[in-house]
């Protein structure tokens, strides 16, 4: 058995298979098959069929455009009768994955750079110049304090600031919301998704949607689940909130588009699923600035070249379009990993039944004799017979078969 | 063999290995080695070398800036001779992962809040006030209907609306596109990527790129694959579309930057790969608003304080920079999972060959005798000899060796 | 043993278990248990406890709002004494995942469409009209060349361009930065995260944060690690850079919010972890446009209706809020995969010890005899006894037990 060729011949032309002891026992046999069936059911049923363990997955790469439509009218003492259309209430005019619709606002018109008294609050009411520190800016300051304490009105004096004057008075947002009719505005969402690993792309405006349908449909979870035009009020209602409440202080709404696709099936079965969720905090007690707002300004020059501006504190709802999802497609590697692990798990059945047969049953010693062959350490054998096949009998608890 | 210490000694000082029957058969031996080689080739070749199954993966976290450059001139009756530079056609001036370049527009100048007739279409042509519902807003209304039917021109009467007047006439975008020279504009894309799990970051402006090179290079897939400056016309052409066609109604172009890095190699081999894809729908029949456009306005105040605005319906191409990719680095766990699964799969070779040897070959019964040892249920044995090592011969189909 | 029922009975009521040879050897036994212990320690310690191999993971889906606060004052010859508040320096006023704070600028006031000489540089200094190509636009042109060479000042002549005049002179950004006090501005970041697979959502403004605390806290990694209000200077300092240096040419800062959550524990232990990183290139030698800037314009109409604009080249810091992270929750499948692979790996202990026992030890031949049963190819046996259980003795190197 020495030599290279003999070794190679032995390697190539020998087939080794474990020796098996077959115990004919109803009890043990049934238990073994039952455990193996359980493991098989788990591997095939759960891993492969339910969780699709034979598939490779990839995450979605997405591109979104959103466009609002709608017109409303307001009539206030400050602004008079005024129309608001898309160019007026969508700010900024174009964003990548979201769209802001202004629903309420505090307008401070005709501001110019100058010196004026702050709006009174706990920090800036004063009695004399000593109360005002020149050059300081508080967290809620509109400008930089000059150090002087001036009259705000007949009764109150506040610290004077260098700021855009007159200073904005934003204590409370108008209620009800100024653009409350925004509830009826609509939002068209166009979404293109791509799974790079599988080079599969699709759009949310499905191929069976016609121009006529698109001109008049409104999304509804039951009747029009694939219409990409959403009524703003419905979006908020679907998330369990009231549009009018939300419109006062603003908020963030998430339009979630889920693309979970099984690419082993037809591409036409890969469809978007829309859901809606409010993303900003609703807990008024634990929120320093409830809702959602930001400030922007429109700048003007007068004849003298002095810059004026209209400051607008815009409250509104920002609609974030969140696209997510996974595609799965058959791939040999996860399949093999799961098959391999499944095969290894079948070994558990053997381990389990072994324990029961060899340690728990009445006939355990009998079965142990059939399964095990005890071999002592060679040194303990009296006669060092290197090529002997038979061991002398009668060596204590040794059994030799 | 009873007692705790004996049990512990038995556990620690015993080594159990399965008993093997080695069948010397050319046919079976070669088949067994062939199947094992196939499985090994799959595990090593495909799982480890090709799919890099020994690596842990992480997704890219990215940050992008984009900057356009270019100047063009137009000469129209409405606007006269006019220069357009970056501040004029990039709207908004700054975005996170995308950049919009206006290529075409419909400008409605000097709008003021007022009452005026709608542009005639199927829904708002009227004969008398009865045809117009006060307070209504259609899907494509510019304003809120007053309920009056007024002259649009000498021949047609339409419903009057309260809106920004004069109302925008956007039936058709100018053709060819107004800013058709945008084809020659360039886009500088700066991208910083980071793999958090491996704390590896890199930029798309590689370390071997000099300032001189950057001042004049243009991206080309063959000659300048790492120049981060893209000519707009080339981006669209690379995606298989015509810039001039796209410039009329607008569209969305994706600049895809793929960062698939093998972090077991040098960091200098982790390079970006650019590709281009059109993201908006091209199917004119199935698209209610082909292309990409949005409206924005520039606001002005006149001497009386009345607000005027210039409404611009901007058609253009939005360039979305989509960064994706995965990094892989050696990790012990996926390696062990794949090795473990591979080992378990080698068991398949044994199962397969067993089936052939024990059920298909002519000498199957012979081999079965060598492999299996049949043991009856203890109860079926006539003499309950608990410590007997030998079973009486001649018990039906039992074989005892 | 023929027939269907017999076969089924054999299948159901038989339990097969491999036959084992138990070698009682201190050396080998201890080595075997040691290797098994190592593998077990790896599987339990590393795979399950450290890397949480029993968990299914999901990536975070996030929504972010950011709001700056702060006021500063500048006094320059061009602009005079001027206040800058949020509406002035945050451009655009609202973005989804980022916020740009202007820290420095080059203002070119009162531009109108016209003809004027370019700012002199290497490409546009000229001596005569022949040096200027009509209709050409260079990479850094402000407009379209008319073909004429005109006086820029008393000594230099440059090519004339049709552009917004006067042309912008942007050779060098002001130093120190104009709005250097932006270092003290603050940024409030509100982040809502969601793990779709586990339907778990949370906000970075934790439930134990009160309105009073939020009105005055500033983020600090040690003392206030969950305050979502960041001082701009601290953000840059935490990333190891100088705000004042960065403010001159601008840059991009990443505010990274990591949400790694173990959802097998209480939801209150799922907390955000903030880190800061500079995202733009710092290597001045290898960067054509260091820092970060963009141009925008404010448009005005004069009495004659001529459009004027103020062009602003805004340098500043864009704060990108990057949210990433994974959640893990116990799931049976990754657990079983890892258990299965672990079980298969335990087989390695046997393989290893087998190699040592059967090939390296002195008593290898003795052990081989106990483990292996050699069976010749049936054809080599002289008497074709199909049901014989005993093979004639004396067949070369065969051993038969």
């Amino acid at each position: 058995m020495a030599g290279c060729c003999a070794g190679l011949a032995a390697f190539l032309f020998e087939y080794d298979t474990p020796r098996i002891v077959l115990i004919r026992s109803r009890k043990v046999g049934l238990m073994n098959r039952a455990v193996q069936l359980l493991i098989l059911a788990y591997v095939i049923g759960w891993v492969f069929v339910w969780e699709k363990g034979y598939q490779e997955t990839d995450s979605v790469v997405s591109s979104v455009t959103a466009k609002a439509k709608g017109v409303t009218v307001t009539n206030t003492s400050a602004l008079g009768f005024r129309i608001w259309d898309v160019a007026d209430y969508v700010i900024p005019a174009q964003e990548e994955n979201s769209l802001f619709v202004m629903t309420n606002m505090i307008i401070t018109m005709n501001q110019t750079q100058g010196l004026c008294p702050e709006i009174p609050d706990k920090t800036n009411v004063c009695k004399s110049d000593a109360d005002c520190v020149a050059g300081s800016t508080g967290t809620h300051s509109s400008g930089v304090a000059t150090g002087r304490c001036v009259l705000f009105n007949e009764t109150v004096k506040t610290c004077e600031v260098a700021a855009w004057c007159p200073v904005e008075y934003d204590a409370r947002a108008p209620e009800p919301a100024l653009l409350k009719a925004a509830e009826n505005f609509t939002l068209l969402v166009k979404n293109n998704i791509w799974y790079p690993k599988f080079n599969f792309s699709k759009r949310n405006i499905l191929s069976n949607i016609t121009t006529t349908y698109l001109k008049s449909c409104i999304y509804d979870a039951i009747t029009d689940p694939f219409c990409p035009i959403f009524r703003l009020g419905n979006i908020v209602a679907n998330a369990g909130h009231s549009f009018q409440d939300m419109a006062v202080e603003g908020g963030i709404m998430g339009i979630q588009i889920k693309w979970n696709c099984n690419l082993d099936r037809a591409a036409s079965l890969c469809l978007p699923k829309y859901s809606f969720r409010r993303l900003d905090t609703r807990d008024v007690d634990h929120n320093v600035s409830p809702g959602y707002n930001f400030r922007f300004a429109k700048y003007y020059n007068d004849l003298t070249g002095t810059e004026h501006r209209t400051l607008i504190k815009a409250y509104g709802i920002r609609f974030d379009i969140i696209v997510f999802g996974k595609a799965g497609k058959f791939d040999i590697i996860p399949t093999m990993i799961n098959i391999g692990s499944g095969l290894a798990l079948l070994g558990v059945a053997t381990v389990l039944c072994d324990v029961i047969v060899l340690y728990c049953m009445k006939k355990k010693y009998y079965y142990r004799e059939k399964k095990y062959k005890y071999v002592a350490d060679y040194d303990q054998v009296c006669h060092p017979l290197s090529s002997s096949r038979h061991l002398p009998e009668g060596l204590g608890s040794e059994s030799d078969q």
Side-chain angles (χ1 to χ4, degrees), chain A residues 76-104:
Chain A
T76 59
S77 46
L79 300 168
F81 181 88
R82 192 190 158 94
I83 289 287
W84 299 85
D85 67 9
V86 170
D88 295 323
Y89 58 72
V90 173
I91 300 134
Q94 190 267 113
E95 277 184 280
E96 199 191 348
N97 289 322
S98 70
L99 189 138
F100 175 81
V101 173
M102 181 163 68
T103 55
N104 205 3

Side-chain angles (χ1 to χ4, degrees), chain A residues 21 350 354 358 366-373 401:
Chain A
V21 54
T350 304
D354 266 359
L358 302 171
Y366 175 63
Y367 291 134
R368 277 191 214 175
E369 285 176 42
K370 299 304 164 197
K371 183 173 166 76
Y372 291 111
K373 178 190 177 84
Q401 284 180 318

Side-chain angles (χ1 to χ4, degrees), chain A residues 21 46 49 61 64 78 90 92 166 176 195 265 307 316 327 332 357 383:
Chain A
V21 54
W46 192 325
V49 176
V61 170
V64 166
V90 173
Y195 291 107
R265 297 191 175 185
E307 201 175 20
I332 196 76
V357 164
H383 303 283

Side-chain angles (χ1 to χ4, degrees), chain A residues 29-308:
Chain A
L30 276 172
M31 178 170 58
N32 178 43
R33 296 299 174 203
V35 177
Q36 284 182 340
L37 190 71
L38 221 72
I39 292 174
L40 219 68
Y42 155 75
V43 172
I44 294 178
W46 192 325
V47 177
F48 281 94
V49 176
W50 185 256
E51 295 276 346
K52 298 190 171 42
Y54 55 90
Q55 287 189 333
E56 177 72 56
T57 56
D58 192 19
S59 300
V60 72
V61 170
S62 144
S63 173
V64 166
T65 76
K67 203 168 167 187
K69 242 185 168 72
V71 173
T72 187
V73 96
T74 61
N75 201 345
T76 59
S77 46
L79 300 168
F81 181 88
R82 192 190 158 94
I83 289 287
W84 299 85
D85 67 9
V86 170
D88 295 323
Y89 58 72
V90 173
I91 300 134
Q94 190 267 113
E95 277 184 280
E96 199 191 348
N97 289 322
S98 70
L99 189 138
F100 175 81
V101 173
M102 181 163 68
T103 55
N104 205 3
M105 71 200 80
I106 292 173
I107 302 186
T108 312
M109 303 194 70
N110 210 13
Q111 285 186 325
T112 47
Q113 295 259 342
L115 307 173
C116 44
E118 271 274 37
I119 302 292
D121 68 24
K122 282 176 287 187
T123 58
N124 55 34
V125 168
C126 60
K127 294 203 158 52
S128 71
D129 288 354
D131 297 330
C132 304
V133 182
S136 71
T137 56
T139 329
H140 299 280
S141 295
S142 306
V144 179
T146 56
R148 288 192 292 275
C149 181
V150 294
L151 281 174
F152 173 74
N153 59 26
E154 295 87 32
T155 48
V156 179
K157 287 172 88 173
T158 57
C159 290
E160 185 187 50
V161 283
W164 284 95
C165 296
V167 153
E168 179 189 67
Y169 179 53
D170 69 333
R172 167 140 274 135
E175 201 161 344
L178 212 64
L179 300 183
K180 56 186 181 292
E183 194 166 2
N184 292 317
F185 294 168
T186 58
L187 187 65
L188 165 65
V189 174
K190 296 200 255 186
N191 173 220
N192 171 294
I193 59 111
W194 181 47
Y195 291 107
K197 208 180 279 191
F198 311 125
N199 201 22
F200 175 84
S201 67
K202 195 158 183 185
R203 294 179 182 87
N204 73 324
I205 299 185
L206 307 174
S207 45
N208 60 348
I209 289 180
T210 65
T211 313
T212 328
Y213 177 68
L214 265 179
K215 277 203 191 304
S216 60
C217 74
I218 296 282
Y219 171 84
D220 180 272
I222 320 278
T223 60
D224 295 280
F226 301 113
C227 173
I229 299 176
F230 305 86
R231 182 178 167 276
L232 300 196
N234 294 0
I235 294 175
V236 181
N238 268 337
H241 292 271
S242 152
F243 187 93
Q244 292 305 328
D245 286 347
M246 209 173 164
V248 176
E249 298 262 28
I252 321 268
M253 283 303 301
I255 299 173
Q256 291 154 175
I257 311 181
K258 179 157 85 169
W259 288 90
N260 274 354
C261 294
N262 183 354
L263 297 181
D264 291 326
R265 297 191 175 185
S268 60
L269 294 174
C270 179
L271 300 168
K273 189 158 153 39
Y274 301 96
S275 57
F276 310 95
R277 200 162 65 92
R278 183 165 179 176
L279 301 180
D280 62 309
T281 177
R282 283 145 288 176
D283 189 355
V284 180
D285 299 327
H286 291 271
N287 186 2
V288 75
S289 51
Y292 181 60
N293 67 74
F294 62 92
R295 291 179 177 80
F296 72 98
K298 299 182 196 172
Y299 295 86
Y300 311 97
N301 270 351
D302 65 14
L303 287 176
T304 62
T306 313
E307 201 175 20
H308 295 246

Side-chain angles (χ1 to χ4, degrees), chain A residues 342-355:
Chain A
L343 283 178
L345 281 174
L346 279 174
V348 166
T350 304
V351 169
L352 208 70
C353 292
D354 266 359
V355 165

Side-chain angles (χ1 to χ4, degrees), chain A residues 309-323:
Chain A
R309 79 174 193 185
T310 299
L311 179 68
I312 300 166
K313 184 176 181 182
Y315 298 83
I317 304 177
R318 190 181 85 190
F319 295 89
D320 286 350
I321 296 120
I322 300 171
V323 181

